Amino acid sequence: MVVNELVKLSRRDEIAIVTIDNPPVNALSPGVPEGILSCIEEAAANGSVKAIVVIGAGTTFIAGADIREFGKIVAGEAAASNLPEIICKIEDCPKPVVMALHGTAFGGGLEVAMGGHFRVMAADGLVGQPEVKIGLIPGAGGTQRLPRLAGIELALEMCVFGEPIGAKAAFESGLVNRIIDCNGREGDLLEGAIAFAREAIHKPMSKTRDRRGKLKDVDPRYFSAAIDKANATRRGQVAPLEAVDAVEASIRLFDRGMEMEREAFVRCLHSPQSKAMIHAFFGERTVAKIPDIGKDVQTYKIRKAAVVGAGTMGGGIAMNYANAGIPVILKETDQKALDKGINTIRSNYANSVRKGRFDWAEMERRMAFITPQTTYDGFEDVDVVTEAVFEGMELKKQVFAELDAIAKPTCILASNTSTLDIDEIASATKRPQMVVGHHFFSPANVMRLLEVVRGKATSKEVIATSMALGKKLKKVAVLAGNSRGFIGNRMVHVYLREAQFLLEEGATVEEINSTLYDFGFAMGPLAMTDLAGIDVGWRIRQESKHLEKPGVRRPMIADKLYEMGRYGQKTFRGFSRYDTHRVATADPEIPHVVAEATAGMGIEQRKIDRSEILDRCLYALVNEAAKLLEEGVALRAVDIDIVYLNGYAFPAWRGGPMFYADSVGLPQVLARIEEFEKQHGSDLWAPAPLLKRLAESGGKFSAS
Ligand code: NAI
């Protein structure tokens, strides 16, 4: 029997089987919820059916809502979902409904599952309510049924922070009734679910919405703790706080709780925050697409890797390989530096163990993937080398020449340089087609961004392999052209320049940092400079001195701080002072440093308001981004947004600098840039031609 194309009804003796078959992930597209309900109703009406199993075909149960539908609802192109009513009707079925979960039962998928009377779950499955990650809250009873099944504390954790849980936690909480060990095989899950359904025929059953056992005597501190954690870890985001309120409403009568959930869901759905986060969600998928590299382009197999340099970056990069189960050689110049690098890796892993992410045995398993050494032994066998030595062209060329002499012809030679010319590095080899930038971000084992830098000779196969490798290392890989600083650092350069100029003109370090922090960045620009190391920036400037345009104003303070040995957090002094816990306080010496560094330059001191601080820092980013978009350094505006969201802690709920500029309105952004141009000159502030064209024609970056 087929009810519609997406959901099928079949029978095994007295058990009806409802199979959701909407590849690839059984998303709740229009027709799926209706199909499930009509199958259940048909089975319920059949006197010989005693119980019903609902299962997903393929690799997963329902993985979630069809996110494109949300946009259509906001645009008035689609009706609001009737999923809440459908789930209530499933719950009303007089015969036991057993939901069989495998893969990822997320969002609407978990909400449907909770409408069943029982749930069984594959041992390697995941369940979650990740809606907050796109600026929403569950909208079909998730905040009401989850507390009833799993308790308030876990429901808060899942709805407010969006992290999934595995089968063990789901079983222990009462969310699922049985774990079925089936090694992910669909057939075994079905057998287990049918066996459970046969038992369920004789079990007492109740509707989830009628259960109140776990809603009694709830400690109110759970809610205040969730609010505190949301304010600390999801600063500026509305949805997590709405989720707390909605879960709290579950203590009331079900219908009232559902009403409150719906109101909050609709508020979130129509908020700019969810639009921004949905933009980023789709953006992460878009950046994987490279117009001239189709699926037909071959990729190399990456079985073994090597990293040269075990410093800040090299150690983190090696951890990425180890985490992905790829054996990696880590090479240093001498034993001391090697030991230091390995000790840092060990202590990073040990921190993860202490935080409960994995156990000591898993740490040792990962460490075993890393082979520390001071020679090139074994390099002839590896499929990719990432170079992460000091940032200096001569040294990099020397290392690449050495690698060229020893690596096999199909080995990818990648540089982690933050700013240097990939083509020049490639010129040190006889195989420039195999040379590419793999620009990781610090800390490399944590930050999700990987810029893949395409040199003029880099082959399509190397690009395709690098993008696929990024995915394997659980990164978001974005392709960038070989421009100085690529996408991210080229933009951050002008952003940090403006932050220093503002300081030179009279704003304080605290005003500058707090303005950008309040905008939603994880930290202000000068705090970021102190964290990255003023010495690091100084070294980069030395490498690029010859590229500076004479007569153009350049920031003076960081160089002055460098000369004073104030390298930032690492020396406890930079733009701010730091205590041993790295907590910053204002440094009364800074005004003197500024006065000294800018003496005789004729810079007028004035009171600078927060809107100028914000606009100068952000529009410098936007203007530079528009230039690199036009130059083709970034493929699309959304690629820039993804770089900034994942590499520079741009607030997720603002969608990235280009999305932000679009939402402010490009004519307004242009007008402000033209004001700055009048005040500070065309060398620094000439509007990017693309920005001008779009602003004047009513266009948007998002469409470019
Ligand atoms: P680092 O100074 O912490 O580490 C560099 C390491 O390379 C040192 O341990 C040094 O002993 C080793 N080394 C030097 N020559 C070597 C050779 N011939 N063979 C083997 N090892 C050698 O520097 P960091 O910060 O890790 O930077 C490395 C590269 O990554 C640079 O190109 C930098 O621009 C880039 N980068 C740095 C980021 C950061 O935030 N620190 C972020 C992204 C890229």
Side-chain angles (χ1 to χ4, degrees):
M1 283 177 274
V2 176
V3 172
N4 68 26
E5 288 299 307
L6 305 165
V7 187
K8 299 176 178 73
L9 180 61
S10 58
R11 274 288 288 279
R12 177 84 66 83
D13 308 324
E14 75 277 36
I15 308 296
I17 302 162
V18 178
T19 306
I20 306 149
D21 191 6
N22 181 27
V25 293
N26 295 327
L28 282 174
S29 317
V32 172
E34 294 80 1
I36 299 171
L37 179 62
S38 67
C39 285
I40 289 178
E41 285 178 338
E42 190 178 331
N46 184 331
S48 61
V49 169
K50 298 280 182 274
I52 302 156
V53 167
V54 180
I55 192 165
T59 54
T60 187
F61 189 69
I62 301 162
D66 183 340
I67 293 172
R68 290 188 198 281
E69 287 300 308
F70 293 137
K72 290 188 198 156
I73 296 170
V74 174
E77 292 162 9
S81 154
N82 56 353
L83 190 58
E85 294 77 34
I86 290 181
I87 294 173
C88 282
K89 286 185 185 156
I90 294 174
E91 214 169 29
D92 289 339
C93 177
K95 295 175 184 174
V97 175
V98 178
M99 299 284 179
L101 315 180
H102 74 304
T104 49
F106 283 177
L110 180 55
E111 289 175 306
V112 168
M114 290 191 293
H117 306 103
F118 303 96
R119 279 148 297 281
V120 297
M121 183 172 173
D124 60 354
L126 290 172
V127 290
Q129 297 284 180
E131 290 85 348
V132 284
K133 296 191 175 176
I134 51 168
L136 297 174
I137 69 162
T143 62
Q144 305 304 301
R145 288 191 179 83
L146 195 51
R148 284 169 162 77
L149 292 171
I152 291 281
E153 196 180 6
L154 185 60
L156 279 170
E157 194 58 35
M158 291 171 71
C159 295
V160 180
F161 303 102
E163 296 308 328
I165 58 168
K168 188 164 172 275
F171 176 73
E172 284 167 1
S173 72
L175 177 53
V176 303
N177 306 87
R178 182 174 292 168
I179 298 176
I180 296 180
D181 192 359
C182 50
N183 291 326
R185 283 191 302 273
E186 198 189 326
D188 294 351
L189 177 68
L190 181 61
E191 293 313 313
I194 289 173
F196 186 94
R198 289 203 170 108
E199 295 168 34
I201 297 168
H202 311 290
K203 284 187 192 209
M205 62 181 237
S206 60
K207 298 174 191 175
T208 306
R209 65 176 187 261
D210 291 341
R211 296 197 192 190
R212 297 206 51 88
K214 294 194 175 176
L215 301 180
K216 287 190 193 122
D217 304 323
V218 171
D219 187 340
R221 279 175 300 188
Y222 288 145
F223 303 109
S224 51
I227 291 171
D228 289 348
K229 186 171 160 192
N231 284 331
T233 63
R234 306 286 190 279
R235 193 165 49 88
Q237 294 184 27
V238 172
L241 299 175
E242 292 274 22
V244 176
D245 286 349
V247 172
E248 191 167 10
S250 70
I251 296 174
R252 303 172 184 223
L253 291 178
F254 180 78
D255 289 345
R256 180 66 193 125
M258 284 298 282
E259 251 173 56
M260 290 181 71
E261 180 193 83
R262 176 109 307 241
E263 286 162 13
F265 174 79
V266 170
R267 273 196 299 278
C268 290
L269 185 62
H270 290 272
S271 76
Q273 294 201 353
S274 69
K275 291 194 190 81
M277 292 172 92
I278 289 173
H279 160 78
F281 176 87
F282 286 120
E284 282 195 17
R285 280 136 195 89
T286 305
V287 295
K289 297 182 189 123
I290 299 168
D292 69 329
I293 301 183
K295 287 210 162 68
D296 54 318
V297 173
Q298 297 264 317
T299 54
Y300 297 102
K301 286 254 171 321
I302 304 291
R303 295 191 187 89
K304 288 183 188 170
V307 175
V308 184
T312 309
M313 294 305 291
I317 296 167
M319 287 174 80
N320 286 324
Y321 282 111
N323 295 345
I326 301 172
V328 56
I329 299 172
L330 183 57
K331 181 203 176 275
E332 254 297 342
T333 40
D334 59 52
Q335 196 59 42
K336 198 169 154 226
L338 190 58
D339 291 345
K340 189 168 168 236
I342 288 291
N343 286 339
T344 306
I345 293 175
R346 272 201 165 277
S347 86
N348 283 339
Y349 274 141
N351 276 339
S352 297
V353 174
R354 277 185 218 106
K355 286 182 186 153
R357 297 216 180 101
F358 44 78
D359 60 18
W360 294 105
E362 175 62 16
M363 163 171 163
E364 291 309 328
R365 197 186 70 82
R366 294 187 192 198
M367 285 301 299
F369 279 109
I370 303 174
T371 307
Q373 61 188 49
T374 54
T375 65
Y376 281 122
D377 288 353
F379 271 61
E380 64 284 356
D381 220 19
V382 301
D383 305 297
V384 58
V385 183
T386 311
E387 163 279 310
V389 303
F390 303 125
E391 184 81 341
M393 183 53 91
E394 285 320 306
L395 175 62
K396 302 246 182 215
K397 282 168 100 169
Q398 182 201 323
V399 170
F400 271 75
E402 288 165 7
L403 291 172
D404 193 32
I406 190 160
K408 63 186 179 189
T410 55
C411 176
I412 294 178
L413 304 182
S415 173
N416 182 49
T417 177
S418 350
T419 49
L420 299 175
D421 183 344
I422 292 293
D423 293 334
E424 194 178 343
I425 294 175
S427 73
T429 73
K430 291 185 209 68
R431 52 172 118 177
Q433 75 283 0
M434 298 307 292
V435 178
V436 65
H438 284 182
H439 184 211
F440 290 85
F441 287 70
S442 182
N445 52 314
V446 178
M447 296 296 283
R448 284 184 77 220
L449 181 63
L450 172 67
E451 277 183 329
V452 172
V453 186
R454 184 175 200 165
K456 67 173 189 283
T458 313
S459 78
K460 289 185 179 181
E461 290 75 14
V462 168
I463 299 290
T465 309
S466 299
M467 299 299 287
L469 177 64
K471 200 166 173 195
K472 189 144 195 212
L473 300 183
K474 297 209 164 70
K475 303 288 173 193
V476 192
V478 178
L479 189 70
N482 181 29
S483 158
R484 190 170 176 77
F486 319 123
I487 298 174
N489 281 347
R490 183 165 146 189
M491 287 166 65
V492 88
H493 178 75
V494 291
Y495 170 77
L496 299 178
R497 174 197 80 194
E498 286 307 311
Q500 277 197 64
F501 282 170
L502 287 158
L503 181 61
E504 292 174 359
E505 292 164 28
T508 66
V509 170
E510 292 68 39
E511 284 165 348
I512 296 164
N513 280 338
S514 69
T515 301
L516 277 303
Y517 177 83
D518 292 345
F519 175 79
F521 274 98
M523 65 184 83
L526 302 174
M528 181 174 136
T529 310
D530 277 350
L531 177 68
I534 288 174
D535 55 328
V536 174
W538 182 85
R539 227 167 270 130
I540 290 172
R541 285 191 292 284
Q542 298 313 300
E543 278 289 316
S544 61
K545 263 204 145 57
H546 60 288
L547 300 172
E548 275 169 19
K549 203 170 156 191
V552 177
R553 179 181 171 193
R554 60 181 187 85
M556 309 301 291
I557 316 294
D559 283 351
K560 183 79 193 159
L561 293 172
Y562 175 82
E563 285 162 21
M564 297 167 75
R566 298 175 56 137
Y567 297 166
Q569 284 197 15
K570 63 179 86 163
T571 57
F572 303 104
R573 297 186 98 175
F575 285 98
S576 301
R577 281 187 194 200
Y578 295 89
D579 65 15
T580 45
H581 298 104
R582 305 198 163 207
V583 175
T585 45
D587 190 332
E589 259 184 42
I590 287 293
H592 307 293
V593 176
V594 173
E596 222 175 280
T598 57
M601 291 175 59
I603 298 172
E604 183 205 340
Q605 295 291 299
R606 59 198 172 89
K607 175 90 193 114
I608 299 178
D609 64 33
R610 284 167 73 91
S611 74
E612 181 178 344
I613 295 175
L614 197 63
D615 290 353
R616 272 177 67 184
C617 291
L618 293 180
Y619 295 163
L621 275 183
V622 171
N623 202 33
E624 193 65 27
K627 290 181 199 162
L628 57 84
L629 193 53
E630 189 149 42
E631 289 166 26
V633 176
L635 285 172
R636 295 147 293 227
V638 71
D639 292 52
I640 295 168
D641 285 338
I642 296 301
V643 164
Y644 255 74
L645 291 169
N646 292 287
Y648 297 85
F650 196 94
W653 46 275
R654 293 195 191 266
M658 308 312 260
F659 188 86
Y660 172 72
D662 279 345
S663 61
V664 170
L666 297 188
Q668 193 179 325
V669 174
L670 176 65
R672 199 75 164 124
I673 288 178
E674 284 172 341
E675 260 177 61
F676 296 145
E677 186 187 19
K678 279 198 198 98
Q679 289 157 12
H680 304 282
S682 300
D683 280 322
L684 300 171
W685 278 105
L690 174 66
L691 171 63
K692 231 176 149 144
R693 278 202 310 280
L694 289 174
E696 285 164 3
S697 65
K700 280 182 168 231
F701 285 126
S702 56
S704 64

